[in-house]
Amino acid sequence: MAVIKLFLISFILTSLIISAVYNIPTNRRRHPIPTYRRRTSLFIPNNAPGPYNATFAYLISGAGGDTMRLKRLLLAVYHPANVYLIHLDAAAPAAEQREMGRFVAGQGVFSEVGNVWVVGKPNVVTYRGPTMVAATLQAMAALLRAGRRWDWFINLSASDYPLITQDDLIHAFSDVPKDLNFVQHTSRLGWKLNKRGKPIIIDPALYSANKSEIWWVIKQRALPTAFKLYTGSAWTILSRSFAEFVIMGWDNLPRTLLLYYTNFVSSPEGYFQTILCNSDHWKNTTINHDLHYISWDVPPKQHPRSLGLKDYRKMVLSNRPFARKFKKNDPVLNRIDRELLKRGSRQFSWGGWCSKDDGGNKCSELYGENYGVLRVGGGSRRLRILLRKLVRTRNFGKRQCK
């Protein structure tokens, strides 16, 4: 009888998460994909071929109290060639939701280019719960529907920050094969087999508007035999083709694994890894790296240490384009702005699209005649060194799905 009850609970919760992701109607209050006003940008026509050889779609997520960090991060990673979706947890105060919306609507460049959106009906997201995966999949679907070209999907949190400009990121990725997926992964789960693979959890955010911790079910389950489990970092850079496969794919693997990971502890650290490495089509597109600089705590290395000025040199020498995590307004962020991004307070990171020919160092407005122009700096050179190392033929096969 207990097994039957457990099965019914798992089935109901799984139905809810699939409904949230794939927009299937249910009787409960839904948080649908944000409705976009289909418009042609005053600057860049929808679906028009662009002059940039690499473009990105960003999901930037935050919780209550993160509005200032979200604003700063958005300005730091903004570029008119990319698209951006901001998700502020539904548990955040309504005043913060309105503030974030006013900030995006009040930026003249955002309005002119038309490539920044805020999720109008956000989800409650539970730490270590499957609602994090659901929110990511929902964002992927929304960004695919947005009518803009992009090549890679990047998820960032409010505690992340870039270490290079977007011009440098675009330049460094310009000759990278578009089907590559940068996902840190391993099948050597170690202690995670018993602590994450076998336990069954319930995420209350799947059915409750009130935020709370995940619930642990007493009974455990056997490890799967139909597929092999992989784990790794929750922060990824995924190709558009893989995003389309996950959302609209011909294979049932993404949906099967979504059912499984609905009751899995820390599912964001395994869902995409397990899809990639169990697919014959996609496993040869994986690069075992998340392109983030992270300083972990002592074993078991579950929590990233907050970065500061003493970590600055190591961050730069890592050649990675992103780092986490940072405390709000930590002094190291000012140094990154000044020395790496060349941005002032409330300005964009340095780039060709917002720079004048007179050599002015302000980056606060759009110069349409400069669209397609890259101002490449040291960040591109550093990242190219890392990318060449990761995709070298003799190293590529050794780093895939082991």
Side-chain angles (χ1 to χ4, degrees):
M1 192 67 180
V3 174
I4 295 176
K5 289 182 178 179
L6 179 62
F7 172 77
L8 290 175
I9 292 173
S10 178
F11 177 78
I12 292 171
L13 294 178
T14 302
S15 300
L16 291 176
I17 194 172
I18 291 179
S19 171
V21 173
Y22 295 103
N23 210 23
I24 301 173
T26 67
N27 291 328
R28 76 180 185 97
R29 181 172 64 89
R30 294 188 295 118
H31 298 301
I33 295 171
T35 301
Y36 293 107
R37 183 161 57 103
R38 290 280 181 166
R39 55 163 279 186
T40 297
S41 167
L42 299 176
F43 184 53
I44 310 165
N46 288 343
N47 291 318
Y52 297 100
N53 292 327
T55 53
F56 302 89
Y58 281 87
L59 166 63
I60 303 177
S61 304
D66 281 339
T67 53
M68 293 303 295
R69 293 203 290 182
L70 287 172
K71 293 175 185 178
R72 182 172 190 166
L73 175 58
L74 178 57
L75 292 176
V77 299
Y78 180 78
H79 195 285
N82 301 330
V83 290
Y84 301 84
L85 183 62
I86 313 300
H87 182 274
L88 186 57
D89 195 310
E96 292 187 13
Q97 302 280 359
R98 292 192 296 269
E99 180 185 352
M100 201 67 223
R102 284 195 298 266
F103 173 76
V104 170
Q107 288 289 328
V109 173
F110 298 166
S111 299
E112 185 174 0
V113 181
N115 63 338
V116 181
W117 303 279
V118 177
V119 176
K121 294 184 178 180
N123 301 283
V124 176
V125 177
T126 305
Y127 172 65
R128 299 198 300 169
T131 42
M132 293 182 70
V133 173
T136 302
L137 293 175
Q138 189 179 35
M140 277 185 179
L143 290 166
L144 286 170
R145 289 174 52 190
R148 291 289 298 272
R149 299 174 62 90
W150 52 268
D151 300 311
W152 280 281
F153 172 86
I154 300 176
N155 63 323
L156 299 177
S157 76
S159 60
D160 291 63
Y161 212 66
L163 300 177
I164 64 175
T165 67
Q166 290 301 289
D167 273 18
D168 285 343
L169 184 69
I170 290 171
H171 185 259
F173 266 82
S174 293
D175 55 0
V176 174
K178 296 292 192 294
D179 63 339
L180 292 186
N181 296 279
F182 295 84
V183 181
Q184 190 265 324
H185 61 273
T186 180
S187 62
R188 298 175 182 175
L189 272 65
W191 61 270
K192 292 183 180 180
L193 282 174
N194 291 323
K195 296 296 183 179
R196 294 187 179 176
K198 293 182 179 180
I200 302 173
I201 61 101
I202 297 174
D203 187 344
L206 290 174
Y207 59 86
S208 174
N210 299 318
K211 196 161 188 172
S212 61
E213 296 295 325
I214 58 175
W215 296 353
W216 297 78
V217 178
I218 297 176
K219 187 176 179 59
Q220 294 194 338
R221 57 184 168 186
L223 295 173
T225 57
F227 49 85
K228 188 176 183 179
L229 290 178
Y230 286 79
T231 188
S233 172
W235 312 106
T236 62
I237 298 181
L238 302 173
S239 67
R240 182 186 180 110
S241 56
F242 178 69
E244 291 172 342
F245 168 72
V246 170
I247 299 301
M248 304 175 291
W250 61 92
D251 194 303
N252 204 37
L253 180 63
R255 285 161 287 279
T256 298
L257 291 179
L258 184 61
L259 299 178
Y260 177 77
Y261 276 99
T262 300
N263 306 113
F264 195 93
V265 185
S266 297
S267 53
E269 297 177 3
Y271 177 67
F272 293 114
Q273 288 86 344
T274 303
I275 294 177
L276 282 163
C277 290
N278 282 275
S279 169
D280 290 337
H281 180 82
W282 295 103
K283 66 183 180 182
N284 292 327
T285 68
T286 58
I287 300 292
N288 196 1
H289 205 291
D290 62 8
L291 299 185
H292 267 69
Y293 178 85
I294 304 176
S295 178
W296 294 98
D297 61 355
V298 295
K301 296 185 177 181
Q302 286 187 269
H303 303 286
R305 183 178 59 82
S306 293
L307 302 171
L309 286 170
K310 65 180 182 301
D311 301 293
Y312 178 80
R313 186 171 182 273
K314 290 182 179 179
M315 284 190 284
V316 175
L317 293 177
S318 73
N319 296 336
R320 303 179 188 193
F322 302 100
R324 73 181 317 268
K325 63 182 182 175
F326 296 95
K327 294 180 180 178
K328 182 170 62 176
N329 294 328
D330 191 282
V332 72
L333 296 176
N334 294 331
R335 186 173 181 184
I336 292 173
D337 281 344
R338 183 175 63 254
E339 298 182 11
L340 301 182
L341 305 182
K342 296 180 176 58
R343 65 178 292 267
S345 177
R346 301 179 183 178
Q347 293 181 351
F348 301 107
S349 296
W350 183 245
W353 64 274
C354 58
S355 61
K356 294 182 179 179
D357 293 333
D358 60 9
N361 59 1
K362 300 292 185 182
C363 193
S364 56
E365 57 185 308
L366 175 69
Y367 295 97
E369 65 274 14
N370 284 1
Y371 186 70
V373 176
L374 293 175
R375 296 284 189 265
V376 179
S380 175
R381 177 184 54 81
R382 294 194 304 272
L383 180 54
R384 277 175 172 262
I385 291 172
L386 175 60
L387 292 175
R388 281 196 296 267
K389 179 180 177 182
L390 292 175
V391 302
R392 269 196 308 225
T393 304
R394 67 172 181 271
N395 291 332
F396 185 72
K398 298 178 182 178
R399 303 177 66 86
Q400 295 176 32
C401 297
K402 301 298 184 183

